[in-house]
Amino acid sequence: FWLKYFVAMANTLTPYLNAIRATLDAVLCLHNFPSQVVERHNKPEVEFQMTTSALLRPITIARDENEKCFIEPSVNSVRISVKIKQSDDTEVMLCRKFAGFFTQRADTFFVLRRQPVDGYDVSFLITNEHFESLTKDALITFVIQFIEDIDREIKDMKLALNTRVRGAALAYMTQFVG
């Protein structure tokens, strides 16, 4: 029974992740694009938005209003913002703490931004410089795996938290029963 439930849960996330994977595969055609405003500068256009002709149309991929991915492509960079599903206050708190944990360690996650875009929980910034050391498929796999893992970890932490609370409540209530 549980295996069927787990497979069904994994299959509901699959089309969403496949859509993100296909979109990232299409927009991650980045190349070096020096600044048109400041000489000898190469800034991510999606962050600074100095040259509007270098920006492409943003794309939103959503399962529902509580779980979506916002992809902002440009000529030399792509910003990927992810809103993780949070169905109750426990998941909101766990997601906030988990995302805060990762953003504090953004230096070790080479494409993770320290500050997510407003309305989203986690943001990534991929520039043309990342392609000097990594392949396109490796970057896409990292982002997809990160989304899968953070969703799974929040659900596992919520289950563990509920189990601990249930055990604490049971221990407390046994004091009152003869």
Side-chain angles (χ1 to χ4, degrees):
F1 170 74
W2 287 106
L3 182 61
K4 288 181 185 177
Y5 178 74
F6 181 72
V7 170
M9 289 293 290
N11 287 340
T12 59
L13 193 61
T14 303
Y16 172 67
L17 294 176
N18 286 342
I20 294 172
R21 183 183 302 276
T23 305
L24 288 177
D25 191 40
V27 300
L28 284 177
C29 299
L30 308 176
H31 64 277
N32 190 15
F33 186 78
S35 174
Q36 303 295 305
V37 180
V38 181
E39 189 175 335
R40 294 184 177 178
H41 280 252
N42 191 350
K43 304 281 186 192
E45 289 294 328
V46 74
E47 290 282 315
F48 294 96
Q49 300 184 357
M50 294 185 287
T51 309
T52 56
S53 62
L55 300 173
L56 303 173
R57 183 176 295 157
I59 302 162
T60 302
I61 301 169
R63 287 181 75 189
D64 56 31
E65 67 274 356
N66 295 326
E67 188 173 12
K68 57 187 172 181
C69 179
F70 185 55
I71 301 171
E72 300 170 273
S74 72
V75 173
N76 67 349
S77 58
V78 174
R79 183 168 49 197
I80 305 154
S81 303
V82 179
K83 182 164 178 60
I84 300 158
K85 185 176 181 182
Q86 302 161 27
S87 57
D88 59 9
D89 291 338
T90 304
E91 285 185 3
V92 169
M93 185 264 309
L94 289 172
C95 182
R96 189 179 68 240
K97 295 289 186 185
F98 208 55
F101 173 81
F102 282 115
T103 55
Q104 288 177 351
R105 291 151 182 84
D107 296 337
T108 58
F109 296 100
F110 49 93
V111 295
L112 189 65
R113 291 182 73 227
R114 285 200 177 277
Q115 186 68 33
V117 173
D118 289 337
Y120 291 89
D121 301 311
V122 178
S123 290
F124 301 95
L125 178 66
I126 299 174
T127 64
N128 62 313
E129 295 171 1
H130 290 115
F131 287 114
E132 293 173 4
S133 59
L134 298 167
T135 64
K136 179 174 159 179
D137 291 330
L139 286 167
I140 293 171
T141 302
F142 172 76
V143 171
I144 297 297
Q145 190 68 42
F146 187 89
I147 294 170
E148 275 182 320
D149 289 348
I150 199 167
D151 188 49
R152 185 179 331 110
E153 286 294 325
I154 288 174
K155 293 197 182 345
D156 289 346
M157 284 191 296
K158 181 181 176 187
L159 185 63
L161 179 67
N162 286 339
T163 303
R164 290 179 66 189
V165 168
R166 187 178 303 115
L170 183 65
Y172 180 73
M173 293 305 281
T174 55
Q175 294 176 0
F176 301 111
V177 179

